[in-house]
Amino acid sequence: MRNLKLFERFKSTQIHAFSSQDSPSTSNNDSPRMKFFRHPKSNPKSISRSLLSHGFPTTELLEPPLDPYLKPIDLVESLSNLYRRIESSLDSETSMLYLELYAVLRSLGDAKLLRRCLINARSYAFDVPCKIVLSAWLRFDRRAHELVGVESMDCNGFAIECPKTSLTHGDDLDLVNEHCSCSKVCEEEGFGSDGVKISLADEFLGLDEVSDFSFRVGLEKAKCVRSRIAALSRPFEAMLYGSFVESRTSEIDFSENGISVEAMVALNIYSRIKRVDLFRVETVFELLKLASKFCCDDLKSACEARLASSVTNLDKALTFVEIALEERTKLLLSACLQVFLRELPQSLHNPKVMRFFCCSEAKEQLSFLGSECLFLLYYFLSQVGMEEKLTTEPMLILLERTREFARANWQKALSLHQMGCVLFDRKDYKAAQFHFRLASSLGHVYSLAGVSRTEYKQGQRYSAYKLMTYIISNHKPQGWMYQERSLYNVGVEKLKDLATATELDPTLTFPYKYRAVMKFEQKQVKEAFEEVDRLIQFKLTPDSLELRAWLFLAIGDRESCLIDIRAVLCLEPNYVVFGGKMRDDLVEALTAQYTEVESEADCWVRLYERWSAVDDVGALAVVHQMLQNDPSKNFLRFRQSLLLLRLNCQGAAMRCLRMAWNLATSEAERLVYEGWLLYDMGYVDETLTKAEKAISIQRSFEAFFLKAYVLSDKNLGPDEISCIVPVLEEALKCPSDGLRKGQALNNLGSIYIDCGMLDQAETAYKNALEVKHTRAHQGLARVYFLKNQRKEACEEMTKLIEKACSKAAAYEKRSEYCEREKAKEDLDMATKLDPLRTYPYRYRAAVLMDDQRETEAVEELSKAIAFRPELQTLHLRAAFHEATGKLSLASQDCEAALCLDPDHTETLHLYSRSKDQTSSTETTILDLE
């Protein structure tokens, strides 16, 4: 039904059955979302009219969220500036500069780019407290807490995240991709036994030095060597060899020092063999206090290290942290903090942990860690809190701490802006406005959007409008400015602002949603669907799918509504559809279905149909239904992750993959999923190892496919790439369904092309088409093109365009095989369908440059860079600037591009040339003067 033409679906009233079985993940009976798939009987009459009054979005209530991160007014200039500062910085400054880069790049939403910033920040970090925060942040970033059987203090095998490596001082520039040498060991094996007691009658076998005095504690004595105890510190030396009475006695009374005789015996042993790992933790605590009192620096360090290595769980951390604060021991406190942070997000809901971080004494107690570390700590905590939707009061305290420890302007602006966002969500508009104004005074112009919004909420609409108009007139226009002003505008002017916002930044979702709802309210149903479909084509989000589900519901198309809701729940399983505003009986009426459960065979047929139609949203919904019918089919979760990756929903894809890993029923299956998770983090060699190990256990399609996929990503030479062919052939011999085999055949065709085997490639692609792998048309077109059959290549891509629901990529690819005018038409269509694709902008700019229309060429690239500063686009604009003699602008674009990929060879060469030419020009000018 979903592949009918747009106007035909508005006339459809056909209802199809959906399964009433529930997945284990949807077992909460109290949530409207959970009841969505249960009602067993059909009653479709008058549903839409009943539901529209229970939460259907209206134009009056729609408004965009305020983004809780930094939005530089000129991102390219900010990135350029950061690159120069990083390149010229001292090693001690570099870590925080990478953290600043992370904060600036948050607005792009590129998870891999952000992770690389964190890795760089971690590798340059010197101080142990900073290292443990960044290591825990990296762990949280890959959501290791979602993996069943993985403990918070487990090492994942890489030194950059290892909890032991993090407790050593100094940078780890050489450890970025290195494996960690530590292994998972129990506390008794790894850190020594806490149960070892020191016998007073111990003869200290192996220690032949004769004792010459003793410490008396009560009635017991601890024999020691005077010279060795004196060597521990200057105070002990003065006591034992100075003018004090103790220097002339053979027995010194230590009963009043609060130290047990066992600790004094331990002190004697340490003075001889310099080890504390033999003692009980309680004894080490006493030694630590003794070391602090008598300034025994080496002993104190040894005790700190011993105790730090013993902090292996939350209970111990909560116990040891009090001693760490009392003795002001940085290493031990870091070890405790490490446990708290590696337990995130669960530890945010632990009252004792939150009391520690949020109590009024925390600022003073933690001050000896330094403001830089404390800003980093509370910045991390506040980001996790915002992701986890922490309750308002603790969230505000964490953000307030972040602000208190902020030193740089960007740190202060960020924390103030985020406090404004949290207060705004709490509807405390006056306080929110105060914080937004403070953030804007520090140069963060986007915070003025928060100021105008709070004014609007307090009934000052015209003041809000004037403020946004002022911003637009005094800064380079950006999409968010017009989007924000549209809230305070009316009529035609409002629509003009929304249109300008979309033109400047097509990634903004609010203008599409507003226009869709407005057109629906005006009875322009077809146009409303076109507007929201346009958005979903290139930016799939739960709220956009939910809006389309509302529209389907309103026209009585329950089947399409359910498809979109299923897709929503694939993106975000805990999403409460329709805002939870619908009464339960109305939800049940909506979900009424036939008593017959759709068979597994029928589901597979529909999955093949959606897959072959390149309808990834529809395929996602079918997979969701199949998992609901039979949650034990774990391989479907893996398929779900692949579909989500196609839809650029990386976070949701990785969540599905982690769930598949958790529910794997065999070691070989788990290794495959673990390999894909490693591949996502950029660990290619480790992924290959997992694939080969999985193959050694059980020869399976997925293991061979993973191996072939990774090998193709290793930039093998022309002679080496042929080794992938037998791997894919082995995969095709293993049992699997046609969908996956179609993908393998498609990949095999690509490898054949790289090997110059065009006839074999053609056969592989045609075999893929036989099993309905529609995307193989693209590969087959490439074969025809390489055979100089340009017309056939174009026709092949036309077939793909005719079959596919998602057509933007096909139009873009067909442009490569068309004449210039036709290519331009195809690329214009690709931009219309998916404005996030940057190749069309680059092509049009290159054509303009060839026609010597340099200014227009740069403007075309600038359109894309304004909302998506992508590496290749920045590089091309830099080359254009260089060609027109604008060397400073060329250097700026190169610097911004190198922030995104510091190892991009072509950009490095261009940057070097631009700087050399600039230097040469300046020298010439000086000579002339």
Side-chain angles (χ1 to χ4, degrees), residues 860-873:
E860 184 66 27
L861 292 176
S862 299
K863 288 179 189 176
I865 290 170
F867 61 85
R868 192 177 183 186
E870 181 243 12
L871 172 67
Q872 291 178 310
T873 314

Side-chain angles (χ1 to χ4, degrees), residues 808 811 824-834 844:
Y811 275 111
K824 186 177 182 303
E825 290 177 12
D826 278 354
L827 290 174
D828 288 344
M829 179 59 72
T831 298
K832 180 180 179 181
L833 294 174
D834 184 355
R844 288 189 291 264

Side-chain angles (χ1 to χ4, degrees), residues 4 45 184 268 328 410 419 563 784 787:
L4 296 176
K45 300 293 184 182
K184 298 176 184 179
N268 173 45
R328 297 177 70 83
W410 74 267
M419 287 183 75
I563 288 172
Y784 290 146
K787 287 183 174 183

